[in-house]
Amino acid sequence: MIEALFSQPHYLAAKKALDAVALRHEAIASNLANLETPGYRRVDLAPSFQAELQRACASGDKARIAALRPVLAPDPNALPASRDGNTVHLENELLQLTQNALTHALETQLVTSTLLRLKLAITGRPT
Amino acid sequence: MIQMLSGIQHTAAALNVERTRLDVIAQNIANAQTTRDAQGKPYQRQVVVFETALQQSLATGQTAPEASLRVARIQKDPRPPTLVYRPGHPDADAHGMVAMPNVNLHEEMADLITASRAFEANLAVVRSARTMAMQTLAIGKR
């Protein structure tokens, strides 16, 4: 009964996306940390995660959304930035960092608004 | 331990390494004119070598990569010393040539800028992690 409150598909999806954003921040942190390590290959969220999340949301299957696990993988498409084989581009990473922070703001607001709506439905008055 | 700021351990390691690099650059610039070290030879430029163990831990399938950026070693630049004609110098050889350190000031300055920019990039990561943590803590609040 109480489970149903927190298991709407879009709420679950927002939580998963938030997990993914936190993990992505870790990837960007490690990329920027290894800006000058020879032969380092940049890591990012595995591209399959985005596609899987979209498909799971479209299907509306809660179990399928809940089973998703974001993972990091070396970026296969990144080109070397210099002759030492390092594939991290500083500008690109900083751009991704900002983008990721904005996505995080959006998703926390999504989660917050869901919780506030629930609260409104329970109490009957806006907090 | 609870992981508040994601990715902070890589960033801390990188800040440490960049600091070491700045120290070594400072040492190179300071010794740009040193013609006699402890062994009586001209100073040799030092280079910091970075290494990471992140890729290995990813390969073993761990989702949370280990913080493992570190200074592999600080090695000497093998380039030969530059010879300058200074007959009055106490370290001059029979032809009046003095072996000066293989430190190139322009090269060091360029390195210095790269290192401090890399340092700033890592600080940007910390700032953004902090903002994200604050937003996460504010979930459910208006």
Side-chain angles (χ1 to χ4, degrees):
Chain A
M1 168 56 192
I2 201 85
E3 283 284 289
L5 282 179
F6 302 110
S7 60
Q8 301 115 322
H10 72 268
Y11 180 70
L12 286 178
K15 280 205 315 193
K16 280 288 162 210
L18 208 51
D19 284 352
V21 164
L23 197 63
R24 185 135 194 270
H25 183 83
E26 206 160 307
I28 297 169
S30 124
N31 289 343
L32 280 175
N34 288 291
L35 194 58
E36 304 197 26
T37 312
Y40 175 83
R41 288 169 62 218
R42 80 177 289 268
V43 287
D44 207 339
L45 213 53
S48 58
F49 177 77
Q50 186 95 19
E52 278 296 319
L53 185 63
Q54 268 168 2
R55 249 174 286 153
C57 284
S59 72
D61 184 356
K62 288 171 200 162
R64 198 168 151 189
I65 298 176
L68 282 176
R69 288 276 172 278
V71 283
L72 294 181
D75 187 349
N77 302 320
L79 294 171
S82 57
R83 288 210 313 227
D84 63 10
N86 188 315
T87 60
V88 181
H89 296 251
L90 176 63
E91 301 80 8
N92 214 340
E93 293 302 326
L94 287 176
L95 211 70
Q96 304 264 14
L97 182 70
T98 316
Q99 204 178 346
N100 205 46
L102 277 176
T103 315
H104 188 270
L106 171 78
E107 277 153 13
T108 44
Q109 274 182 29
L110 264 175
V111 173
T112 301
S113 70
T114 311
L115 293 174
L116 286 177
R117 263 205 312 269
L118 265 175
K119 207 168 171 186
L120 176 65
I122 295 165
T123 61
R125 53 180 180 272
T127 43
Chain B
M1 204 187 86
I2 178 170
Q3 186 92 58
M4 257 331 223
L5 302 170
S6 50
I8 202 75
Q9 72 276 47
H10 307 298
T11 307
L15 288 175
N16 262 329
V17 167
E18 294 297 343
R19 169 60 62 89
T20 311
R21 191 159 159 226
L22 286 170
D23 285 349
V24 169
I25 293 170
Q27 191 190 329
N28 286 343
I29 294 177
N31 286 297
Q33 305 292 328
T34 309
T35 52
R36 189 192 290 248
D37 64 2
Q39 282 85 43
K41 289 183 178 146
Y43 175 81
Q44 260 184 309
R45 175 172 179 261
Q46 313 262 317
V47 193
V48 180
V49 182
F50 293 179
E51 72 173 3
T52 183
L54 174 68
Q55 301 292 350
Q56 289 93 304
S57 66
L58 266 180
T60 55
Q62 283 176 317
T63 46
E66 301 286 311
S68 42
L69 176 70
R70 57 175 180 256
V71 175
R73 58 188 182 280
I74 298 176
Q75 68 177 32
K76 290 189 169 158
D77 189 333
R79 285 180 293 183
T82 29
L83 292 174
V84 180
Y85 182 62
R86 252 180 230 171
H89 198 284
D91 290 326
D93 64 6
H95 307 287
M97 302 301 276
V98 181
M100 297 299 279
N102 54 356
V103 177
N104 182 343
L105 268 187
H106 307 97
E107 201 178 315
E108 297 301 328
M109 289 314 281
D111 264 3
L112 182 71
I113 294 169
T114 322
S116 64
R117 288 289 177 260
F119 197 87
E120 279 173 32
N122 281 292
L123 286 181
V125 175
V126 181
R127 264 198 302 279
S128 145
R130 198 182 75 108
T131 318
M132 281 166 63
M134 295 309 278
Q135 284 165 351
T136 310
L137 288 175
I139 285 180
K141 287 188 195 139
R142 195 174 273 282

